[in-house]
């Protein structure tokens, strides 16, 4: 039986934290860690916790940190777990005039990592979070302990699905995404395969931050940042990222792929396998794009292997 959509907040009972990027632009993030040990009255942020890897989860479009709620719940009893919301997404600020670009999102993530002095990071990435997170990992490679990569790309798109290309139609594309909620709402139905449908509370949670046309500015901007030609400013950023991916080859890497994804199809997985032949691949034959919604326990199991 489907639950009440209003229940979504019970699925996301985490305290909010904000990182100020500019005077009027804050980036929201979750930062959960083991609670107070009442037996010893010691907080679990001592040297023993600092010695453990921390998890940094980086979402894509049109999701937000809610997408990683199962990771936070599963691991925050033993490890520090952080999940960000990109500017324009989730509970972060959504300025109507902003440089919504891959380069800026990557810069924001690097600044946040530096400000929080994060180290021994096991980075979990998905969708646009792949390009953003992997770009940041390359810039702070000495702080990365491992990677878990879900359906994503970190290279100029080898193809653009018609469903995405339609969202790039002049005027009509932005109108549909912002005023009809066509992109985020459609994703809750078109990004799954194993499940017949998402639970009502899960769908409500995924959509909650994107409840007005103004609040969908980041969704629209992410779609418009997909380079359809080598003249687009993000084409070169992705090309440089692809060139630098081998710099991460020494890390333990787990690839977890929903093989029914129509957006980041299996050929994207093959591209990563070619760059990182040592990476361990986990092919989920009946899972679509929203891997964390359809196969959370599979991801938990894989991620746990990198936290030892």
């Amino acid at each position: 039986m489907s639950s009440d959509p209003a229940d979504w907040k019970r699925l996301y009972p985490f305290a909010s934290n904000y990182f100020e990027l500019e005077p009027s632009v804050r980036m929201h993030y979750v930062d959960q860690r083991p609670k107070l040990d009442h037996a010893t009255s010691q907080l679990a942020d001592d040297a023993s916790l600092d010695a453990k890897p921390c998890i940094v989860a980086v979402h894509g479009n049109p999701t937000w940190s809610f997408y990683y709620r199962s990771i936070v719940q599963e691991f925050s009893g033993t490890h520090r777990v952080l999940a960000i919301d990109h500017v324009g997404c989730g509970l972060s600020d959504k300025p109507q005039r902003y440089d919504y670009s891959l380069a800026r999102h990557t810069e924001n993530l690097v600044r946040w990592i530096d400000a929080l002095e994060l180290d021994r990071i096991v980075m979990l990435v998905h969708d646009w979070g792949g390009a953003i997170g992997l770009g940041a990992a390359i810039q702070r490679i000495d702080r990365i302990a491992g990677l878990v990569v879900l359906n994503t790309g970190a290279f100029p798109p080898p193809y653009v699905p018609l469903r995405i290309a339609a969202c790039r139609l002049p005027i009509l594309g932005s109108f549909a995404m912002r005023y009809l909620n066509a992109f985020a709402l459609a994703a809750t139905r078109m990004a799954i395969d194993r499940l017949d449908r998402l639970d009502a509370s899960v769908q409500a949670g995924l959509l909650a931050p994107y409840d007005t046309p103004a609040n969908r500015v980041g969704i629209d901007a992410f779609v418009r940042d997909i380079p359809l030609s080598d003249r687009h400013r993000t084409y070169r950023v992705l090309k440089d990222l692809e060139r630098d991916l081998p710099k991460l080859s020494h890390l333990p890497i787990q690839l977890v792929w929903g093989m029914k994804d129509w957006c980041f199809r299996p050929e994207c997985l093959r591209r990563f396998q070619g760059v990182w032949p040592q990476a361990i691949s986990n092919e989920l034959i009946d899972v679509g794009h929203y891997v964390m919604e359809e196969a959370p326990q599979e991801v938990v199991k894989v991620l746990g292997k990198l936290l030892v």
Side-chain angles (χ1 to χ4, degrees):
M1 179 179 295
S2 181
S3 63
D4 186 335
D7 288 343
W8 77 264
K9 291 185 179 180
R10 298 180 185 177
L11 303 176
Y12 188 81
F14 313 124
S16 290
N17 302 272
Y18 291 91
F19 175 62
E20 189 170 328
L21 291 160
E22 302 171 22
S24 60
V25 181
R26 300 176 307 160
M27 188 167 72
H28 173 266
Y29 65 97
V30 171
D31 186 354
Q32 296 284 114
R33 64 182 75 198
K35 300 184 184 303
L36 179 71
D37 183 343
H38 294 288
T40 62
S41 297
Q42 294 294 314
L43 287 173
D45 58 353
D46 56 12
S48 63
L49 180 60
D50 291 339
K52 294 181 178 182
C54 68
I55 301 169
V56 170
V58 189
H59 73 85
N61 189 36
T63 58
W64 58 293
S65 53
F66 178 85
Y67 181 72
Y68 290 116
R69 63 196 180 280
S70 59
I71 297 299
V72 180
Q73 292 164 345
E74 181 70 28
F75 291 107
S76 59
T78 55
H79 292 74
R80 187 178 184 184
V81 185
L82 305 101
I84 68 161
D85 291 336
H86 304 299
V87 175
C89 301
L91 304 182
S92 290
D93 290 338
K94 301 177 180 67
Q96 300 304 293
R97 293 182 178 275
Y98 188 75
D99 178 22
Y100 288 108
S101 65
L102 171 58
R104 176 57 65 87
H105 286 306
T106 304
E107 177 189 335
N108 291 345
L109 181 57
V110 171
R111 287 179 58 189
W112 174 79
I113 289 172
D114 289 348
L116 271 63
E117 299 182 337
L118 300 179
D119 198 10
R120 298 203 64 201
I121 298 168
V122 174
M123 191 169 285
L124 171 61
V125 301
H126 175 247
D127 192 90
W128 267 107
I132 296 167
L134 294 174
I138 288 168
Q139 292 186 42
R140 295 295 181 268
I141 197 165
D142 58 321
R143 300 188 184 186
I144 308 300
L147 301 170
V148 178
V149 179
L150 314 181
N151 296 49
T152 186
F155 30 76
Y159 55 84
V160 178
L162 289 177
R163 286 178 256 194
I164 301 296
C167 294
R168 292 287 292 270
L169 291 173
I171 302 176
L172 292 176
S174 287
F175 181 86
M177 286 186 287
R178 297 190 67 171
Y179 289 89
L180 304 179
N181 204 13
F183 195 83
L185 182 60
T188 65
R189 301 165 182 167
M190 298 165 59
I192 57 175
D193 191 85
R194 175 183 288 180
L195 300 174
D196 292 331
R197 62 177 62 85
L198 293 175
D199 185 88
S201 60
V202 171
Q203 178 172 327
L206 289 168
L207 297 176
Y210 307 119
D211 56 347
T212 68
N215 282 343
R216 297 171 195 140
V217 61
I219 290 174
D220 186 8
F222 263 123
V223 173
R224 302 213 164 269
D225 201 38
I226 300 171
L228 302 184
S229 75
D230 59 8
R231 296 186 299 275
H232 192 287
R233 64 175 179 169
T234 294
Y235 180 92
R236 174 47 56 186
V237 179
L238 285 168
K239 197 68 177 175
D240 291 345
L241 175 57
E242 180 181 25
R243 178 201 63 206
D244 289 339
L245 287 177
K247 295 178 180 179
L248 302 171
S249 295
H250 65 287
L251 296 169
I253 301 174
Q254 293 273 352
L255 302 168
V256 186
W257 221 265
M259 302 301 282
K260 292 292 187 180
D261 187 356
W262 54 266
C263 185
F264 293 97
R265 302 190 305 234
E267 49 259 56
C268 292
L269 169 62
R270 306 305 174 213
R271 292 276 289 268
F272 283 113
Q273 290 171 327
V275 174
W276 300 325
Q278 86 291 355
I280 298 174
S281 297
N282 306 265
E283 299 184 11
L284 308 179
I285 61 173
D286 61 340
V287 172
H289 182 62
Y290 276 2
V291 181
M292 287 306 313
E293 300 301 342
E294 297 202 283
Q297 288 309 308
E298 285 97 319
V299 180
V300 163
K301 182 178 180 180
V302 165
L303 181 55
K305 296 176 182 178
L306 300 187
L307 295 176
V308 294

